[in-house]
Amino acid sequence: MKKFYSIVVICILVGCKKDIPKPIPVAKKKVPEIILTDERKVEIDTATISTFKSETLKEFYIASENQTVWGNLKKRKFVLSQLENSSNLGLEPEDYKTSQLKKFESKIGKLNDKDLATYDILLTYNFEKYLSHLYKGKLDPKKIYSNWDLDEKTFDVNNVLIKAFNRDKLDSIVENIQPKTQTYKELLKALEIINTFPDDDIKTIESADKIVLKDTNPALINIKKRLLYWNDMTGKDSLTKIYDQKTFESVKRFQERHGLAADGVIGAGTISALNYSKESRKKQIIANLERWRWYPSELAENYFIINIPDYSLNVVENQDTTLVRNVVVGTIKRRTPIITSFLKTVVFNPTWTVPPTILKEDVVPAMKRNRSYLAKKNITIYDTSGNEVDPVKWNENKPNNYRYVQSPGYNNSLGLMKILFPNHHSVYLHDTNHRNIFGRNNRSMSSGCVRVENPLELAQHILDVDGNWPQDRIDTIIASKKTMSFKITKKYALYQWYWTAWSKKNQLLFRADIYNLDSDLYAQLRN
């Protein structure tokens, strides 16, 4: 009997062991099978495919059982026309070997099997590259910028391409994979508009002095030529050296298009904008197109979008712009980072802890000159144990051993409110104690955070979902001078981005490239 029980136990144990489930491998997304026609096709040597070092290319031809696929003239012509006209989308045709492909096509009937296979591979490889560039850009922003927080865009190019190929709908694929955002469409329109302008040969405008209405200045001749060229001035002009009323109105139109103070005064900023050539502006548009391909292809239902060089914040809800605010952004040394995130919390009466960069560059030098510097700003020093430190006993040789906190109030550096959102840069949106700066033209003045005009109205707008946030409730909180935090219940995305060109109503619009990103990006695109 004991022997019998032993056998039963062994059987149970063995049975349990067999029933232990094995880890299920993650299935790789299957590439659709390519439907081939009866047109001429040849076998492809897999060694030739391997020379391209492209997994997507290899998978593409596995789906066709390593046979050529571009036997259909209509499909071939479509791919060739797309690559040849890629410049209309801000791309470079020779990045896709357009000249080489056209040579193959010109002698298609005379190609031997090996050359036909090579042509087929080149068509696929370059069309896949083109589609990838359209969807997520030619360059990887993570390899260019250390302070850009953008989610990586993934693209299953084979799945998209083969489905369109099989359904004979290649003509829709290019439009479908491009960003759907309005600014991207406006940039494509801007490229179309600028291509209508003739080549320009207007000399550089040089003027050390400001030019105001009724002034006489020889620089006005070339200024008028520029205004006529860009259609800010219409009709014929005598091109005199006199700053007349017609030119004055034209200058204001030009200034408005470029985000300058539209006061008609021709100063350094206006001269600088006037001196941009057609080619320079076209490069700027192309750089911005690339940047917009890095951003999400579609935007959330409700969102804040900040254009850093435009110093603007727009609140968009259900495709309707509900609020517009002027903002202040970081200086070129303390740049506002590019971020895609979501709004989380509103904090009223915030304290402000001095960040390391400001401590090093501003506070420490000031404290060494005057120990009462922080007290005047209502900033308290704390040691590592949280004890308050007398400024007289502050150790200037070990400034990082302390925490520096400014009390809440109207004159707090963050003002009366801040909005928090997850990010790796310790930045947020906030009020400011310098409330007179929003009328300035150049508002690249902060230490990286974005300062917002009329922030309490903005806070009420995003908190008051159910009518529980009347103005007097916010007034009471502010009057208490107590720090209070409130969760934002309505879901808002935050897009804190950078673009310096677009179009509106067939007009080209530009902004100063405050972080000097455009020309460098264009140069990398053309390398």
Side-chain angles (χ1 to χ4, degrees):
M1 183 63 75
K2 287 183 179 177
K3 188 174 182 181
F4 171 76
Y5 282 125
S6 298
I7 292 169
V8 171
V9 170
I10 290 168
C11 289
I12 290 170
L13 291 173
V14 171
C16 289
K17 189 174 182 181
K18 283 184 179 177
D19 288 341
I20 295 173
K22 294 181 180 178
I24 300 172
V26 178
K28 192 172 183 180
K29 195 167 184 179
K30 188 179 178 182
V31 176
E33 183 181 346
I34 295 175
I35 301 170
L36 295 174
T37 64
D38 296 326
E39 290 141 331
R40 180 187 174 191
K41 50 184 176 283
V42 300
E43 295 290 325
I44 294 177
D45 184 351
T46 55
T48 307
I49 297 172
S50 297
T51 60
F52 286 83
K53 297 178 181 177
S54 168
E55 281 301 312
T56 55
L57 188 68
K58 195 181 295 183
E59 290 169 3
F60 181 89
Y61 281 105
I62 288 172
S64 75
E65 298 180 343
N66 290 318
Q67 294 186 84
T68 54
V69 303
W70 298 103
N72 183 285
L73 176 63
K74 181 183 174 184
K75 288 179 177 177
R76 265 197 335 274
K77 288 286 189 181
F78 174 78
V79 173
L80 287 169
S81 68
Q82 284 296 315
L83 301 184
E84 191 172 10
N85 296 317
S86 58
S87 57
N88 295 334
L89 300 177
L91 299 172
E92 177 56 50
E94 283 311 306
D95 282 348
Y96 315 107
K97 302 291 187 287
T98 306
S99 299
Q100 185 182 2
L101 292 172
K102 286 171 71 179
K103 285 180 182 177
F104 272 113
E105 182 61 33
S106 67
K107 50 186 178 182
I108 186 74
K110 300 176 182 177
L111 295 179
N112 59 35
D113 286 359
K114 183 180 178 182
D115 287 342
L116 188 67
T118 300
Y119 179 32
D120 204 271
I121 294 168
L122 283 170
L123 269 175
T124 305
Y125 178 78
N126 285 290
F127 193 46
E128 287 196 335
K129 183 198 286 189
Y130 170 70
L131 294 177
S132 180
H133 288 177
L134 276 182
Y135 181 78
K136 61 179 183 178
K138 178 181 176 180
L139 304 174
D140 182 353
K142 292 183 183 298
K143 294 179 180 178
I144 305 174
Y145 308 112
S146 60
N147 67 334
W148 285 46
D149 280 357
L150 293 173
D151 293 333
E152 185 177 355
K153 293 174 77 173
T154 57
F155 182 45
D156 189 345
V157 66
N158 276 331
N159 195 50
V160 170
L161 174 55
I162 293 172
K163 282 182 178 178
F165 183 97
N166 288 341
R167 295 169 184 169
D168 200 21
K169 290 187 176 180
L170 287 174
D171 55 345
S172 63
I173 187 173
V174 172
E175 183 178 348
N176 289 342
I177 65 169
Q178 291 185 75
K180 304 296 187 292
T181 50
Q182 186 60 31
T183 304
Y184 179 79
K185 293 174 184 176
E186 290 168 351
L187 274 164
L188 288 178
K189 183 63 179 177
L191 185 60
E192 180 186 326
I193 293 168
I194 205 160
N195 281 333
T196 64
F197 283 84
D199 292 338
D200 57 335
D201 57 357
I202 304 166
K203 293 179 182 178
T204 301
I205 300 163
E206 295 179 2
S207 178
D209 302 319
K210 283 185 178 180
I211 306 173
V212 297
L213 185 62
K214 296 183 180 178
D215 274 359
T216 300
N217 191 308
L220 281 160
I221 293 174
N222 282 326
I223 288 172
K224 291 178 181 182
K225 286 181 179 180
R226 287 279 179 195
L227 294 170
L228 287 165
Y229 177 83
W230 290 116
N231 297 326
D232 292 296
M233 190 189 300
T234 55
K236 294 183 179 180
D237 192 271
S238 58
L239 299 179
T240 66
K241 300 175 185 178
I242 301 169
Y243 192 15
D244 55 25
Q245 188 67 38
K246 180 182 178 181
T247 309
F248 179 76
E249 296 301 328
S250 301
V251 167
K252 287 200 293 183
R253 278 193 290 274
F254 179 88
Q255 290 170 329
E256 190 172 357
R257 283 197 306 110
H258 292 77
L260 300 164
D263 55 10
V265 176
I266 305 173
T270 302
I271 294 292
S272 175
L274 283 164
N275 274 326
Y276 271 77
S277 65
K278 171 195 171 180
E279 192 60 27
S280 296
R281 288 304 190 194
K282 184 174 178 177
K283 290 176 181 178
Q284 189 175 4
I285 292 167
I286 290 170
N288 278 274
L289 277 166
E290 170 71 7
R291 214 175 273 134
W292 268 90
R293 290 177 183 129
W294 298 339
Y295 301 148
S297 297
E298 296 186 49
L299 304 183
E301 183 180 6
N302 306 307
Y303 59 89
F304 280 31
I305 188 162
I306 294 166
N307 183 3
I308 295 169
D310 190 42
Y311 311 118
S312 65
L313 181 157
N314 283 26
V315 180
V316 180
E317 296 166 288
N318 298 316
Q319 300 184 331
D320 181 33
T321 301
T322 53
L323 274 179
V324 178
R325 287 288 179 271
N326 291 328
V327 299
V328 173
V329 301
T331 64
I332 192 165
K333 288 185 177 180
R334 301 175 184 175
R335 300 180 183 187
T336 294
I338 277 59
I339 288 171
T340 295
S341 188
F342 60 92
L343 303 185
K344 190 174 182 182
T345 310
V346 173
V347 182
F348 292 111
N349 295 321
T351 60
W352 179 60
T353 300
V354 179
T357 304
I358 295 178
L359 176 66
K360 178 184 176 182
E361 297 181 7
D362 301 334
V363 171
V364 172
M367 280 290 283
K368 286 180 179 180
R369 291 192 299 269
N370 180 5
R371 288 297 174 105
S372 63
Y373 170 79
L374 290 180
K376 289 179 180 177
K377 293 184 173 291
N378 210 18
I379 296 176
T380 305
I381 306 171
Y382 296 95
D383 63 20
T384 53
S385 300
N387 300 312
E388 190 173 331
V389 177
D390 189 321
V392 176
K393 297 179 180 179
W394 175 74
N395 187 343
E396 67 179 47
N397 297 315
K398 295 182 179 180
N400 293 322
N401 286 1
Y402 305 96
R403 196 162 53 94
Y404 308 81
V405 181
Q406 188 176 41
S407 301
Y410 187 78
N411 294 315
N412 182 281
S413 292
L414 303 183
L416 300 172
M417 182 220 73
K418 67 178 178 180
I419 299 176
L420 304 179
F421 47 89
N423 68 90
H424 302 300
H425 306 278
S426 301
V427 295
Y428 33 82
L429 310 179
H430 66 86
D431 183 18
T432 177
N433 56 348
H434 299 290
R435 296 174 177 86
N436 60 337
I437 57 178
F438 292 102
R440 295 188 185 183
N441 188 51
N442 183 342
R443 296 193 295 277
S444 173
M445 304 167 65
S446 83
S447 298
C449 289
V450 174
R451 305 175 192 172
V452 184
E453 188 177 26
N454 297 326
L456 295 182
E457 292 176 14
L458 181 65
Q460 183 186 22
H461 181 85
I462 60 177
L463 288 172
D464 195 20
V465 178
D466 301 314
N468 295 324
W469 281 94
Q471 184 62 48
D472 57 0
R473 180 179 178 184
I474 293 177
D475 292 342
T476 301
I477 292 170
I478 296 301
S480 74
K481 294 189 177 180
K482 292 180 181 178
T483 303
M484 299 185 192
S485 300
F486 299 91
K487 183 180 178 182
I488 301 169
T489 56
K490 187 173 179 177
K491 191 172 182 180
Y492 288 95
L494 174 78
Y495 306 116
Q496 197 164 276
W497 293 347
Y498 190 101
W499 70 99
T500 60
W502 64 101
S503 67
K504 215 82 161 180
K505 296 179 180 177
N506 289 321
Q507 277 200 323
L508 294 171
L509 303 177
F510 298 100
R511 295 296 179 264
D513 180 16
I514 58 175
Y515 296 161
N516 299 325
L517 301 181
D518 289 341
S519 57
D520 180 63
L521 177 55
Y522 182 84
Q524 293 191 61
L525 283 171
R526 292 300 181 249
N527 280 345

